[in-house]
Amino acid sequence: MKRLKRKKCLTALCCLFLGNALFSQIAPKTIAKAWDNMTTMVVETAKAMPPENYGFKPTEELRDFAEQIGHTTGANYLFASVVKLNAPDPMPTSETKEKDQVVKELKASFAFIKGGIQKLTADDLNEEIEFFGSKMSRLQAILIMTSHLQREQGKTTIYTRLKGIAPGGSSGW
């Protein structure tokens, strides 16, 4: 009798755990919405910085503002495989310091990734992939990609704040 109760209790706990795990999965549309939020945050920050500050470097060791934004642009294309895309060849980026061109390239990189996100299915998110030498689910790789983006946005925010400029509104998941 005790064994039966224990078995029922373990079965109930397993069902509860598995049920919660299934219902708590992130859906592709949730990722697309989060990507839109992050796109707005980063692009609005890039647009907020005046053109004359695109060459600004907080210290000699750091990138200037245009390079910092360019890094984000390049990283978006670098992470293309995470959303089942191939990185463009050649890369559609330049080393320009011209604000309009930097913002245009940034927007294009976000749109490129969004195109891949929109094609993902729930099965795609669970698929195990190779990501920088490690095996992980596509979802885990997407979370790493968005984490990188938010860290880079944090750096970009420092550049704008040092110039007395408010960055784009913070957003994420």
Side-chain angles (χ1 to χ4, degrees), residues 11-57:
T11 302
L13 284 172
C14 285
C15 288
L16 182 64
F17 173 77
L18 290 174
N20 282 340
L22 290 174
F23 287 113
S24 67
Q25 287 185 355
I26 297 173
K29 68 180 181 181
T30 303
I31 293 170
K33 176 65 176 142
W35 192 253
D36 287 343
N37 292 342
M38 288 183 270
T39 298
T40 300
M41 174 179 69
V42 175
V43 170
E44 291 305 312
T45 299
K47 289 162 87 176
M49 185 68 101
E52 62 271 13
N53 292 332
Y54 265 60
F56 169 64
K57 291 175 95 167

